[in-house]
């Protein structure tokens, strides 16, 4: 009992240390997160406008973070943590970039996503820091340094060929459906086959539809969509075997795909707020000090 | 009868996913890919070394020993094949790590030396190379951290119940992780020497 208590205590102590060890990653409240009050609201607004225009034009996401200090971590360790948490840039394209300024440490870093490492490479990032940003920082002009640096970053991104930003006009729910998620199709197919084998065609199909409907409801939270999914799964299971036997077994897969395959990944920056698109970072970029 | 077999096969597949076989596969693959990233970034550093040595040589020919040290360490790194099989052999893994650590310390010695050559430090090519080297060192750190995390996940999976039974049955062993290279150096307090250092060599 004592041993258990002691280990629990040790655990709590460890947690306490872990909790206060590092500077927390601030929530991504916008494209420009200023925790030091250095930038005026006008500066923040105009920077946000510039960055928003960049995303609309090229699809790339760029964010700015100003913190007082990153101690005890180095700015490199801190900024990769922020980049991993915010996930700026589009998924798989990884065209995000992050400008982190640690004001009291007099350090700054440009963290570059995988997809931009070719054009915004270490040398370019270092030059932007040394030649554009830090001279202005030295004279105390933080807003000017940041906007000039961001302007240069945008200039570099403009020269890079990137996939065009997606324009989706349809409604919010349909946007996130991933109709080619093979796991979901496969799972529905297996479950349908098992239930049909075990319970007979009609009851099995009803059961499959019910299972899919409940699962879709749990995952998506939309009753209407889950009912549609259930009906599709029901029909698919009901006619599945006859199609399978007629077509040699592979023609029936696409039919059910719209059923349960709803992935809750978030789109970005459509409703005024801002969120990262799922881009990943590998530590590329450059740091500097002033 | 055939239907029964179909159902049984489906159940067997499901039970395999429950006993952690798939989790082990996922973690194993994760470890391999993060290891590849580590090797990739080390390779990137090794590729930078010849250019770096050349650009330093132009300004600081006197520092033969240091330059030779870097070149030798670079050659040693190149001689070790870092395939994913390295992960299953702790001896080779340690050798790989030692070679990379040697290159790290040789490079840091070189950087200390370059401090004495203001002309070199203001050379554009050298500055670009330094930016690339810094970026690469940082990528190595990130890749190593991710490797450490993925090995941790893998090792936890194959050591915790009931997945350890699956791991034993299929012969999955723990993977080696990175250790601090200069454990002894860190544990001894640094010496502060106030004796005047030899004057910077004339250019």
């Amino acid at each position: 009992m004592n041993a258990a208590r002691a280990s629990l205590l040790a655990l709590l102590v460890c947690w306490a240390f872990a909790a206060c060890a590092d500077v927390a990653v601030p929530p991504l409240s916008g494209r420009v997160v200023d925790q030091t009050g250095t930038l005026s609201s006008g500066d923040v607004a105009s920077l946000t406008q510039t960055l928003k225009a960049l995303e609309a034009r090229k699809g790339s996401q760029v964010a700015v973070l100003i913190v007082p200090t990153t101690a005890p971590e180095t700015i490199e360790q801190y900024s990769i943590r922020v980049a991993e948490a915010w996930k700026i840039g589009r998924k798989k394209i990884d065209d995000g970039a992050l400008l982190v300024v640690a004001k009291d440490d007099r350090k700054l870093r440009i963290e570059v996503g995988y997809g931009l490492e070719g054009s915004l490479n270490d040398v370019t990032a270092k030059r932007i820091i040394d030649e554009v940003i830090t001279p202005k920082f030295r004279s105390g002009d933080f807003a000017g340094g940041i906007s000039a640096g961001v302007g240069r970053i945008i200039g570099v991104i403009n020269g890079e060929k990137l996939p065009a930003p997606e324009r989706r006009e349809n409604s919010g729910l349909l946007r996130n459906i991933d109709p080619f998620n093979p796991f979901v199709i496969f799972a529905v197919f297996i479950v349908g086959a098992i239930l049909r084998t075990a319970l007979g065609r009609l009851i099995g199909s009803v059961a499959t539809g019910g299972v899919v409907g409940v699962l879709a409801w749990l995952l998506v939270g939309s009753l209407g969509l889950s009912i549609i999914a259930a009906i599709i799964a029901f029909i698919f299971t009901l006619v599945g075997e006859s199609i399978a036997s007629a077509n040699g077994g592979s023609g029936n897969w696409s039919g059910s795909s719209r059923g349960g395959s709803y992935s809750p990944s978030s789109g970005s920056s459509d409703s005024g707020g801002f969120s990262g698109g799922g881009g990943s970072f590998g530590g590329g970029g450059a740091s500097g000090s002033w | 009868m055939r239907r029964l077999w179909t159902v049984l096969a489906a159940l067997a597949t499901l039970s395999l996913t429950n006993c952690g076989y798939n989790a082990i596969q996922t973690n194993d693959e994760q470890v391999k890919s993060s290891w590849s990233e580590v090797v990739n970034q080390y390779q990137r550093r090794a590729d930078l070394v010849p250019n770096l040595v050349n650009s330093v040589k132009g300004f600081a020919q006197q520092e033969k020993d240091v330059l030779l040290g870097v070149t030798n360490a670079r050659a040693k790194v190149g001689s070790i094949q870092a395939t994913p099989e390295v992960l299953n052999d702790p001896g080779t893994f340690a050798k790989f790590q030692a070679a990379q650590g040697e290159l790290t310390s040789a490079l840091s010695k070189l950087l200390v030396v370059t401090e004495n050559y203001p002309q070199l430090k203001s050379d554009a090519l050298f500055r670009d190379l330094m930016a690339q080297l810094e970026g690469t060192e940082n990528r190595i750190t990130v890749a190593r951290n991710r490797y450490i995390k993925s090995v941790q996940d893998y090792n936890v999976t194959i050591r915790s119940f009931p997945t350890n039974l699956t791991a034993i049955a299929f012969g999955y062993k723990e993977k080696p992780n990175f250790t601090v290279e200069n454990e002894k150096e860190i544990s001894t307090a640094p010496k502060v020497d106030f004796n005047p250092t030899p004057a910077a060599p004339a250019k």
Side-chain angles (χ1 to χ4, degrees):
Chain A
M1 196 56 212
N2 265 337
R5 219 175 266 172
S7 59
L8 187 69
L9 190 71
L11 206 62
L12 283 177
V13 170
C14 287
W15 277 342
F17 271 108
C20 68
D22 298 330
V23 179
V25 174
L28 184 58
S29 54
R31 286 164 212 269
V32 180
V33 180
D34 180 10
Q35 296 207 307
T36 56
T38 308
L39 303 177
S40 70
S41 57
D43 296 334
V44 173
S46 75
L47 267 175
T48 307
Q49 208 50 49
T50 316
L51 296 173
K52 209 170 183 176
L54 170 73
E55 189 180 349
R57 196 173 64 249
K58 293 287 287 184
S60 298
Q61 294 182 324
V62 176
V64 178
L65 169 65
I66 309 177
V67 291
T69 178
T70 61
E73 286 177 305
T74 61
I75 190 156
E76 287 87 5
Q77 290 170 323
Y78 180 72
S79 75
I80 190 71
R81 273 205 304 132
V82 174
E84 280 170 354
W86 284 6
K87 298 188 190 309
I88 289 170
R90 284 175 288 174
K91 201 171 187 169
K92 302 275 160 127
I93 304 171
D94 303 326
D95 54 348
L98 181 68
L99 173 61
V100 181
V101 179
K103 203 180 168 194
D104 297 348
D105 301 342
R106 302 178 78 85
K107 290 225 162 73
L108 76 160
R109 177 167 178 80
I110 298 177
E111 192 78 38
V112 181
Y114 281 121
L116 290 177
E117 278 185 10
S119 54
L120 190 58
N121 54 33
D122 299 354
V123 173
T124 313
K126 184 76 179 170
R127 287 204 170 145
I128 291 175
I129 287 176
D130 282 352
E131 292 165 14
V132 180
I133 305 180
T134 47
K136 295 212 166 165
F137 277 16
R138 275 197 204 106
S139 59
D141 181 11
F142 286 96
I146 288 171
S147 67
V150 165
R152 270 295 183 89
I153 293 173
I154 290 175
V156 171
I157 294 175
N158 277 338
E160 172 88 353
K161 265 200 159 174
L162 291 166
E166 286 180 48
R167 290 184 205 287
R168 294 157 162 170
E169 277 92 17
N170 49 11
S171 73
L173 267 176
L174 286 169
R175 179 184 309 162
N176 286 327
I177 290 183
D178 168 21
F180 298 108
N181 188 338
F183 179 75
V184 175
I185 307 166
F186 190 62
V188 170
F189 180 71
I190 294 257
V191 170
I194 291 174
L195 288 178
R196 196 175 53 214
T197 312
L199 303 172
R201 173 167 286 195
L202 189 63
I203 306 174
S205 305
V206 171
T208 311
V211 168
V212 169
V214 169
L215 280 181
W217 189 46
L218 285 177
L219 282 173
V220 182
S222 149
L223 198 62
L225 202 76
S226 58
I227 288 173
I228 296 172
I231 292 170
I232 292 173
F234 164 72
I235 295 171
F236 165 63
T237 313
L238 193 65
V239 300
E241 200 166 52
S242 47
I243 294 174
S245 49
N247 284 2
S250 60
N252 52 353
W253 280 41
S254 57
S256 77
S257 58
R258 293 198 176 265
S261 57
Y262 185 95
S263 70
S265 67
S266 62
S268 61
S269 73
D270 39 14
S271 56
F274 175 60
S275 65
S280 39
F281 289 73
S287 318
S289 55
W290 71 91
Chain B
M1 198 56 200
R2 217 176 127 237
R3 282 180 178 182
L4 188 70
W5 279 117
T6 318
V7 173
L8 276 182
L11 283 179
T13 316
L14 285 177
S15 73
L16 259 186
T17 62
N18 276 339
C19 71
Y21 182 77
N22 283 358
I24 292 175
Q25 298 307 313
T26 310
N27 287 334
D28 190 41
E29 222 30 67
Q30 189 64 47
V31 169
K32 270 188 205 155
S33 71
S34 46
W35 172 250
S36 303
E37 177 66 8
V38 170
V39 174
N40 188 14
Q41 298 304 343
Y42 272 133
Q43 182 61 47
R44 184 189 180 120
R45 179 172 77 168
D47 290 344
L48 276 176
V49 167
N51 284 336
L52 190 66
V53 168
N54 275 338
S55 82
V56 174
K57 218 175 5 186
F59 290 89
Q61 206 127 35
Q62 302 90 315
E63 311 290 349
K64 241 181 201 143
D65 298 347
V66 182
L67 288 170
L68 213 62
V70 173
T71 314
N72 287 342
R74 159 74 177 79
K76 208 169 172 187
V77 161
S79 69
I80 296 177
Q81 295 288 316
T83 51
E85 280 73 54
V86 170
L87 299 180
N88 298 324
D89 181 3
T92 327
F93 185 83
K95 230 196 260 167
F96 175 82
Q97 217 193 318
Q100 295 293 355
E102 216 168 281
L103 182 56
T104 305
S105 68
L107 278 173
S108 62
K109 257 180 222 153
L110 180 69
L111 296 195
V112 170
V113 165
T114 56
E115 290 293 318
N116 293 332
Y117 299 86
Q119 258 198 339
L120 172 63
K121 280 183 74 183
S122 59
D123 179 56
L125 175 66
F126 179 73
R127 287 171 68 146
D128 287 355
L129 282 169
M130 287 315 298
Q132 282 174 291
L133 185 66
E134 274 167 26
T136 303
E137 294 284 3
N138 190 49
R139 286 191 184 89
I140 290 173
T141 312
V142 170
R144 280 172 58 116
N145 274 337
R146 289 184 182 162
Y147 173 77
I148 289 170
K149 269 179 209 142
S150 66
V151 168
Q152 183 192 351
D153 285 349
Y154 172 85
N155 284 349
V156 165
T157 306
I158 67 162
R159 283 177 59 182
S160 47
F161 187 82
T163 40
N164 61 343
L165 303 177
T166 317
I168 291 167
F170 287 94
Y172 284 100
K173 297 211 170 57
E174 272 178 60
K175 298 227 189 260
N177 217 333
F178 285 118
T179 51
V180 181
E181 279 144 12
N182 47 355
E183 224 161 335
K184 268 185 205 140
E185 278 172 48
I186 293 173
S187 54
T188 53
K191 269 184 221 148
V192 182
D193 193 357
F194 286 106
N195 289 332
T197 48
K203 335 147 201 172

